[in-house]
Amino acid sequence: MRVAISYPPIVNADGQKAMVSQNRNVQYFKKPTYLLPVTYAQAATWLKQIGHDVYWDDGNAQLKSYDQWLSDLVSWAPDIIVLESTTPVMKFYWRVVDQLKQLLPASIVIMTGYHSMRKPEETMGESKTDIVLRSNHVDFVLSRLVPYIESNKSWRLTCPYEGLVIRMGDNQLRSTGNFRQVEPLEKSPIIDRDLVDWKRYAFENGNYLQTPGTYATSVIRDCMFGKCTFCRYNGPDLTFSMMSIERSLDEYEDLIINHGVKEIFDDSGVWYRGVEARKFAQGIIDRGLHKKGCYFGINTRFEYLDEETIKLMAKANFRFVLLGYEAADDETLQRLNKGYQLQHVESCLTWMSKYGLHPHLTIMVGYYWQTQEQLDKTVSEVRRLMFSGLARTLQVTLCTPLDYTPYHQECIDHSKLLTNDYDDFDMSKLIVKTPIPHDRYYEAVRQMYSIAFHPKFIARQIAYLFTFRKRDWQFLFTYSVRAIRRVRQHVFNLTKNASQSVY
């Protein structure tokens, strides 16, 4: 069958593109970051391996206009079109589906993504979608579903596979229940880099100090913690599974030796910890990959890596480590169910800084309970960590309830939402009732991002030059140019609605 895995370009009134693929939360950017959607790339690879004709159709990364994207897709005339949905772009996607069904009436449209998988009846009611895939394991489900559709004309009635809501008629739906992953992650293939045109994602990414960079095939599917209330990796519809260390090392070796990759980031919800983390780092060293000039990066959690592990990872040439800091008060961390204590933050960051890693903190503001005191404490602590050199970079976002996560449902249950219009969920403004005016949170965003221009921060980066580590020189003289551009963009995106502040 002819299968298109498609990402239509989505542009807002400010001329900014929506970043949908591989993002925890959709945001609009004038200078986009094109992220390889790893699980969908595995799905495309798997379908190709079992004999289907796959059209990798990322209109954003391919720099297409919407009209060009639509014309190219219609010309290719796929049997199946796969789309990925999330809350801020749902209304757009519903319109796209209906347009596609008008232009390609014989094509089967499959909607995937966290929003639709949790509200399938809504997507079916608001559009002419044929199937909603109720699992984020799109690779496993599509590898079964597509061959079944091909060989069974009555597939709508007879398809036995779990995790689907199927349109039977205008007003009839058929659910096959919840998807349960019983097969190992190992069965899903390593990404075919040529198929997904990987170089389109290799340069415009703030996580890379060196390019070309790429995302690895994730070693962890979903998250081994999986309890943070604001995160999509939370709920009975998600499962935790792990890929073997040797298989991942094989991919790293191929990316470095055969593709010339200079930085590899694993965007697993949380990367290996403990013995697996040490075995992976030692495997990099044993294969000599740490001497190839390539940096490695991961997502992790505070308290997941001890000093011994961090020291070994530094030897293996790990650099970028993303940590969810979220806030600097215990009440917020408890309400978010973060599962770590603030008292352990300092030691973790101290070890990373000591061994030359570059910790990146992610912070959110605008929780519906966040007081001025809590907000000030977060800003103060972030400034301290950045000025002291314990953290090297940061990312601030507005806490926006998305995709019917526990936090989203909590906001609904407590009547905290200020809007029900999904278009307002794009993280460009606060949409929850808060105890202080929204302008206070926007100002906190400005204060934290302004750290990048503060003399204390700049002096700290200059001091790092005396470590004579290549990465520290690159950070100051190469990365900083790109970072300043992105800092300005983030500040604009997150504070442009400040004058409309309500609470």
Side-chain angles (χ1 to χ4, degrees):
M1 300 194 82
R2 294 164 65 81
V3 183
I5 296 180
S6 293
Y7 289 91
I10 308 174
V11 183
N12 67 9
D14 294 318
Q16 299 169 309
K17 286 186 178 181
M19 301 293 99
V20 177
S21 65
Q22 191 65 14
N23 281 276
R24 305 288 192 273
N25 299 310
V26 168
Q27 289 181 273
Y28 285 85
F29 291 137
K30 190 74 174 180
K31 187 66 176 177
T33 294
Y34 301 116
L35 303 181
L36 175 65
V38 170
T39 306
Y40 291 80
Q42 289 180 269
T45 302
W46 202 338
L47 290 172
K48 179 184 176 182
Q49 288 180 352
I50 60 178
H52 299 284
D53 193 1
V54 178
Y55 179 38
W56 186 255
D57 183 33
D58 188 342
N60 274 326
Q62 293 162 0
L63 306 181
K64 294 181 180 181
S65 67
Y66 178 82
D67 289 341
Q68 182 185 356
W69 168 83
L70 182 62
S71 175
D72 291 347
L73 182 59
V74 170
S75 296
W76 199 70
D79 300 304
I80 293 175
I81 303 169
V82 180
L83 302 171
E84 180 184 1
S85 68
T86 187
T87 302
V89 294
M90 287 313 305
K91 292 167 66 177
F92 174 89
Y93 267 114
W94 293 334
R95 294 192 296 269
V96 168
V97 170
D98 289 350
Q99 186 176 19
L100 289 173
K101 292 297 289 185
Q102 184 177 18
L103 297 171
L104 296 167
S107 296
I108 298 165
V109 177
I110 300 177
M111 188 69 77
T112 70
Y114 289 93
H115 184 106
S116 290
M117 68 186 271
R118 287 170 172 153
K119 301 287 283 186
E121 293 82 6
E122 177 192 57
T123 285
M124 290 300 217
E126 296 288 343
S127 69
K128 296 179 180 178
T129 300
D130 293 286
I131 302 171
V132 169
L133 201 157
R134 292 187 58 207
S135 170
N136 67 323
H137 299 280
V138 294
D139 46 350
F140 283 87
V141 180
L142 290 176
S143 69
R144 300 180 181 90
L145 177 60
V146 172
Y148 190 88
I149 291 175
E150 183 179 37
S151 58
N152 293 273
K153 291 184 178 180
S154 60
W155 62 268
R156 292 180 189 266
L157 181 65
T158 62
C159 184
Y161 300 121
E162 298 170 332
L164 307 172
V165 175
I166 302 170
R167 185 179 301 280
M168 304 294 291
D170 289 340
N171 297 310
Q172 291 182 311
L173 303 177
R174 173 174 168 254
S175 174
T176 63
N178 293 328
F179 175 79
R180 294 172 296 174
Q181 186 188 355
V182 295
E183 296 168 287
L185 186 58
E186 208 80 358
K187 186 173 180 180
S188 188
I190 297 295
I191 296 167
D192 182 332
R193 299 285 161 171
D194 295 328
L195 174 64
V196 300
D197 202 1
W198 73 276
K199 286 190 176 180
R200 290 189 178 274
Y201 309 90
F203 298 94
E204 283 297 335
N205 190 319
N207 292 350
Y208 302 148
L209 188 60
Q210 300 181 144
T211 57
T214 195
Y215 279 23
T217 304
S218 299
V219 298
I220 305 290
R221 181 67 60 87
D222 295 336
C223 175
M224 67 176 71
F225 183 71
K227 297 175 184 177
C228 300
T229 61
F230 62 88
C231 184
R232 289 166 172 161
Y233 298 145
N234 182 321
D237 45 10
L238 303 179
T239 59
F240 163 70
S241 51
M242 182 185 299
M243 188 165 71
S244 72
I245 294 167
E246 287 302 314
R247 190 165 185 249
S248 184
L249 287 170
D250 288 343
E251 182 187 34
Y252 275 51
E253 188 165 8
D254 174 66
L255 290 172
I256 294 169
I257 303 302
N258 298 321
H259 293 82
V261 172
K262 294 299 183 183
E263 189 138 10
I264 301 173
F265 184 70
D266 188 307
D267 202 30
S268 301
V270 177
W271 191 68
Y272 293 135
R273 60 181 297 194
V275 64
E276 287 86 9
R278 290 189 290 275
K279 283 183 177 179
F280 190 96
Q282 189 61 53
I284 290 286
I285 295 167
D286 291 345
R287 296 182 184 216
L289 301 179
H290 64 311
K291 297 180 179 180
K292 301 296 183 181
C294 183
Y295 297 135
F296 311 114
I298 61 165
N299 293 314
T300 191
R301 294 171 50 80
F302 290 110
E303 302 184 42
Y304 267 38
L305 301 173
D306 60 16
E307 184 174 9
E308 176 190 356
T309 304
I310 290 169
K311 182 178 180 180
L312 186 61
M313 289 171 62
K315 182 180 178 182
N317 222 25
F318 278 77
R319 182 194 68 84
F320 185 80
V321 182
L322 188 151
L323 298 126
Y325 186 61
E326 320 312 356
D329 67 280
D330 287 322
E331 179 191 350
T332 295
L333 295 182
Q334 290 170 7
R335 295 182 77 155
L336 296 177
N337 202 16
K338 281 298 296 183
Y340 76 84
Q341 296 178 314
L342 284 168
Q343 67 194 60
H344 299 295
V345 168
E346 188 101 3
S347 57
C348 179
L349 294 177
T350 298
W351 295 330
M352 290 182 180
S353 178
K354 174 181 177 181
Y355 294 109
L357 301 183
H358 290 180
H360 174 90
L361 302 181
T362 61
I363 304 107
M364 294 191 292
V365 301
Y367 308 104
Y368 71 77
W369 60 79
Q370 191 173 38
T371 64
Q372 186 69 56
E373 182 182 3
Q374 291 172 325
L375 184 63
D376 290 344
K377 187 173 183 180
T378 292
V379 173
S380 176
E381 277 298 287
V382 168
R383 287 169 61 89
R384 183 182 70 83
L385 294 172
M386 295 292 287
F387 290 158
S388 68
L390 292 179
R392 299 298 290 271
T393 51
L394 61 82
Q395 177 182 347
V396 189
T397 52
L398 305 175
C399 186
T400 304
L402 289 173
D403 295 338
Y404 293 90
T405 55
Y407 180 75
H408 188 178
Q409 194 60 52
E410 190 177 331
C411 290
I412 295 171
D413 294 343
H414 290 82
S415 300
K416 294 297 182 180
L417 284 179
L418 293 170
T419 177
N420 292 316
D421 186 344
Y422 290 152
D423 287 350
D424 292 329
F425 285 65
D426 64 357
M427 303 186 73
S428 67
K429 57 182 174 293
L430 286 168
I431 58 171
V432 296
K433 300 174 185 177
T434 53
I436 56 176
H438 285 175
D439 278 345
R440 306 278 183 84
Y441 304 102
Y442 298 135
E443 179 57 30
V445 170
R446 293 190 190 97
Q447 289 176 7
M448 284 186 276
Y449 271 125
S450 69
I451 291 170
F453 307 101
H454 196 285
K456 288 185 178 180
F457 178 75
I458 295 170
R460 173 60 63 176
Q461 308 317 307
I462 293 172
Y464 272 119
L465 299 182
F466 294 97
T467 66
F468 298 104
R469 285 189 291 252
K470 176 184 175 183
R471 63 184 62 182
D472 292 325
W473 286 72
Q474 289 173 309
F475 185 88
L476 183 60
F477 295 110
T478 302
Y479 182 80
S480 59
V481 176
R482 288 184 281 134
I484 289 171
R485 181 182 65 193
R486 293 186 183 280
V487 164
R488 289 172 174 164
Q489 174 173 255
H490 283 301
V491 171
F492 171 77
N493 288 346
L494 297 174
T495 63
K496 64 182 180 181
N497 292 290
S499 61
Q500 306 169 25
S501 175
V502 293
Y503 66 104

